[in-house]
Amino acid sequence: MKVYSKYLTMVLLLYMISVCILPVRAEEMIQSAGQTQENMQLMDQAGLLTEAEAEEINARLAELEKRTGWEIMALTTDDAGGENATSFAEGWFDKYTVKDDGVICAIDMDNREIVVRAFGEAMYYITDRRTDRILDAGYEEISEEKYAATLRAMLQEVENAWQYENASQNHLYDEDTGEIIKYPDKKSLTLSEILIALGLAAAAGGGIIFGIFGKYRLKFDGYKYPIEKNGRVHLTVKEDRLVNSFVTKRRIPKPQSTSSGRSSGGSRSTVHTGSGGRRSSGGSRRF
């Protein structure tokens, strides 16, 4: 009986040690990799990047997040679990982000596709035309199996979209419903808010005016200024003659597109709703 009790005590101690230590160790491993469950900026599941390349991509992602205020992610995988490349990238972004706005660039070796998906505010920047530019940049590098260069090129085009796209002029087209969604305007004042503001302004202004009248004892009819006696007017005649006139004509050239693809007018982003219930724009391309 004593032997049985001794073994039972040892088993309980081992169980308590595993419960207390293993989660801490797992957390340390995640933190040492520079990642958290809430925001895994870079996940190289397919093992396509060297350690130095992963550090460089992580630094680039952090820089873009700071500049844009979005969550920017990069992903490589060699097992999409039976999903298509777009669905897998959307699901990954949904699972490991906390913000509504962001972009994910992915290399799917299972489906042999590169993917870019944009969410929230970023959808108005990653238009259909911008999506083509991002995929063009990535395809040129992925064709030569330059995986780090692929992600760098795609992220550069994402930055170009954020920097040069006029999001307020763009709109979304929901391919699931046919709905056209314009860029959200800033919150406007309601009628009651306007009336309250006018009332407060009138009360404040009236108080100042009556305060001045009371302080200086002003009377509207107490004093008159005889302008006809005290005023003087001198009129002179001056003539201008037109001697000659010239008309100059100049042809205004049409604006040229820049290498960064600056948008001069409104563009469309085709969006759909993923399995997680979130809209996203973007696209994919096989390699």
Side-chain angles (χ1 to χ4, degrees), residues 57 60-61 64 72-75 103-108 113-117 126 130-142 146-161 283-285 287:
I57 297 297
R60 184 74 171 112
L61 293 169
L64 282 179
I72 312 293
M73 303 183 69
L75 167 69
V103 177
I104 183 170
C105 295
I107 300 175
D108 187 338
E113 290 184 62
I114 53 174
V115 186
V116 59
R117 301 304 300 178
I126 308 302
R130 289 289 175 181
T131 295
D132 288 337
R133 293 178 68 90
I134 294 170
L135 296 176
D136 287 344
Y139 186 79
E140 189 173 336
E141 302 293 349
I142 198 71
K146 297 178 180 179
Y147 305 113
T150 299
L151 294 176
R152 280 196 298 267
M154 294 176 73
L155 291 172
Q156 180 58 56
E157 286 300 330
V158 169
E159 181 177 12
N160 288 343
S284 65
R285 185 172 299 174
F287 59 88

Side-chain angles (χ1 to χ4, degrees), residues 1-285:
M1 186 69 180
K2 291 182 179 180
V3 175
Y4 176 79
S5 176
K6 181 179 179 180
Y7 280 117
L8 180 61
T9 303
M10 291 177 63
V11 169
L12 290 173
L13 286 173
L14 289 173
Y15 174 77
M16 292 176 63
I17 291 172
S18 64
V19 169
C20 295
I21 294 179
L22 289 180
V24 174
R25 180 57 182 165
E27 182 67 21
E28 289 176 352
M29 292 174 65
I30 292 174
Q31 291 179 354
S32 65
Q35 297 172 335
T36 64
Q37 288 295 318
E38 288 77 15
N39 181 11
M40 304 177 73
Q41 286 181 308
L42 171 63
M43 175 53 67
D44 184 21
Q45 285 186 336
L48 303 179
L49 308 176
T50 66
E51 185 176 348
E53 289 171 338
E55 289 180 0
E56 180 188 353
I57 297 297
N58 258 323
R60 184 74 171 112
L61 293 169
E63 176 191 359
L64 282 179
E65 285 195 343
K66 185 176 180 180
R67 294 192 65 188
T68 62
W70 305 338
E71 291 209 49
I72 312 293
M73 303 183 69
L75 167 69
T76 76
T77 185
D78 54 5
D79 183 7
E83 296 184 77
N84 61 53
T86 296
S87 178
F88 186 81
E90 291 172 339
W92 189 270
F93 189 90
D94 286 339
K95 186 176 181 180
Y96 294 111
T97 54
V98 294
K99 292 183 179 180
D100 294 329
D101 311 319
V103 177
I104 183 170
C105 295
I107 300 175
D108 187 338
M109 300 299 291
D110 189 6
N111 292 292
R112 304 292 295 180
E113 290 184 62
I114 53 174
V115 186
V116 59
R117 301 304 300 178
F119 302 80
E121 181 191 46
M123 293 188 294
Y124 292 93
Y125 291 82
I126 308 302
T127 62
D128 295 347
R129 185 174 61 86
R130 289 289 175 181
T131 295
D132 288 337
R133 293 178 68 90
I134 294 170
L135 296 176
D136 287 344
Y139 186 79
E140 189 173 336
E141 302 293 349
I142 198 71
S143 300
E144 300 179 7
E145 299 183 354
K146 297 178 180 179
Y147 305 113
T150 299
L151 294 176
R152 280 196 298 267
M154 294 176 73
L155 291 172
Q156 180 58 56
E157 286 300 330
V158 169
E159 181 177 12
N160 288 343
W162 172 79
Q163 186 173 0
Y164 296 111
E165 199 66 37
N166 191 346
S168 62
Q169 292 186 5
N170 297 337
H171 66 275
L172 309 181
Y173 168 71
D174 192 322
E175 63 181 3
D176 298 327
T177 64
E179 182 183 3
I180 302 295
I181 308 165
K182 295 183 178 181
Y183 188 83
D185 295 328
K186 294 182 179 180
K187 184 180 181 298
S188 57
L189 295 175
T190 63
L191 179 60
S192 60
E193 290 172 335
I194 294 174
L195 292 176
I196 291 172
L198 289 174
L200 292 174
I208 293 173
I209 292 172
F210 283 111
I212 292 173
F213 283 148
K215 181 177 181 180
Y216 295 100
R217 299 178 181 177
L218 296 178
K219 297 180 180 179
F220 291 104
D221 298 328
Y223 177 76
K224 293 184 179 180
Y225 182 81
I227 189 172
E228 66 278 0
K229 295 182 179 180
N230 299 326
R232 295 181 181 180
V233 178
H234 299 281
L235 300 177
T236 59
V237 178
K238 183 178 180 181
E239 295 183 357
D240 293 327
R241 295 183 179 181
L242 178 63
V243 178
N244 206 344
S245 64
F246 300 92
V247 178
T248 302
K249 294 182 179 180
R250 183 171 66 89
R251 183 179 180 182
I252 301 176
K254 294 182 178 180
Q256 301 294 323
S257 61
T258 63
S259 59
S260 59
R262 184 186 297 273
S263 176
S264 58
S267 298
R268 185 179 83 168
S269 296
T270 301
V271 303
H272 78 158
T273 302
S275 58
R278 298 174 65 177
R279 282 193 178 109
S280 65
S281 66
S284 65
R285 185 172 299 174

